[in-house]
Amino acid sequence: MAESEMTQELFLYGKTTAATALDQDQRTMVERTSNGDQQAFETIYRSYAPLVHGILLSRVPYDDVHDLVQEVFLAAYKNLGSLRDKNAVGAWLARIARNHAAEYYRRKRPSQELPDELKGRHNPRAEAAEIMAAIRSLKETYREPLMLRLIEGMTANEIADRTGRTSESVRVNLHRGMEKLRKKLGIAGAKK
């Protein structure tokens, strides 16, 4: 895959965050979807795909994220009736995504080492892999918000709204996570 295609695909979900805010309240969208309205579910999908993508990207290899995003939304569609709080779609989808990531490792497939030509320091793909590995090595508390912010392009308020966390806790976790990430990557200005 060409670098520009990979970059475009990597940021595919992040481009739609601001433009696809739910037109109506979550409860209405859930009820409409439960009554068979496909457009309502598409609205939910477009609004929450960046969240699900970011959570999965923070946990599983890049090549498997797209398929898992689809699996998460398929599971959500099938289990919409089990959603207790119709206004907590984001937190519910986040939990499903985390569960799918855990299940992925239960049935983990063997992985392959990167080819030598991709391991060089000046290779953008290798650098992206290094950054992703550094983010994934952080505690979950920092890993998820960083993926959602840096890869999906979500603001702290969007992350809080979609995950059910407070804006303050998201901001603190983003700040601390960035400090830890800078330190891991050896970037100047990182606190020791």
Side-chain angles (χ1 to χ4, degrees):
M1 178 182 296
E3 288 175 30
S4 62
E5 290 173 357
M6 186 182 93
T7 304
Q8 184 178 9
E9 188 173 317
L10 182 63
F11 294 103
L12 171 70
Y13 297 103
K15 291 180 180 177
T16 62
T17 303
T20 59
L22 288 174
D23 297 326
Q24 300 174 6
D25 71 306
Q26 295 176 39
R27 178 178 299 279
T28 303
M29 286 295 141
V30 170
E31 289 171 358
R32 286 179 48 198
T33 300
S34 295
N35 292 328
D37 185 341
Q38 292 294 330
Q39 283 186 314
F41 189 72
E42 288 174 22
T43 300
I44 292 170
Y45 178 86
R46 284 190 312 274
S47 296
Y48 290 101
L51 170 74
V52 171
H53 186 262
I55 289 170
L56 292 171
L57 194 57
S58 72
R59 289 172 162 70
V60 300
Y62 172 78
D63 291 339
D64 297 317
V65 170
H66 182 72
D67 289 340
L68 285 172
V69 168
Q70 301 308 314
E71 287 179 25
V72 166
F73 279 97
L74 181 60
Y77 186 76
K78 288 179 178 178
N79 296 299
L80 203 56
S82 70
L83 178 58
R84 290 183 198 143
D85 181 358
K86 307 286 191 244
N87 288 319
V89 175
W92 182 65
L93 286 168
R95 187 175 69 242
I96 294 172
R98 291 180 193 115
N99 289 342
H100 272 70
E103 180 61 30
Y104 169 87
Y105 285 105
R106 284 188 203 107
R107 62 177 200 244
K108 187 176 178 183
R109 300 172 214 135
S111 61
Q112 295 180 352
E113 185 71 24
L114 276 176
D116 288 337
E117 65 269 9
L118 293 180
K119 291 183 181 178
R121 179 70 176 153
H122 299 293
N123 182 319
R125 201 170 177 158
E127 289 176 5
E130 179 184 352
I131 293 167
M132 293 291 287
I135 293 173
R136 287 184 176 136
S137 71
L138 298 173
K139 289 183 189 178
E140 180 180 332
T141 305
Y142 307 124
R143 186 174 58 223
E144 256 183 39
L146 284 175
M147 279 294 183
L148 295 173
R149 177 71 185 114
L150 298 174
I151 304 299
E152 301 302 333
M154 298 171 86
T155 66
N157 287 337
E158 288 173 325
I159 295 168
D161 289 343
R162 287 177 172 81
T163 61
R165 295 186 174 125
T166 66
S167 296
E168 294 78 21
S169 71
V170 169
R171 283 188 183 91
V172 167
N173 290 339
L174 282 170
H175 178 75
R176 290 179 183 164
M178 282 302 294
E179 286 178 357
K180 292 183 182 302
L181 180 61
R182 285 185 187 107
K183 186 175 179 182
K184 281 191 179 286
L185 295 173
I187 296 174
K191 294 182 180 178
K192 308 260 180 207

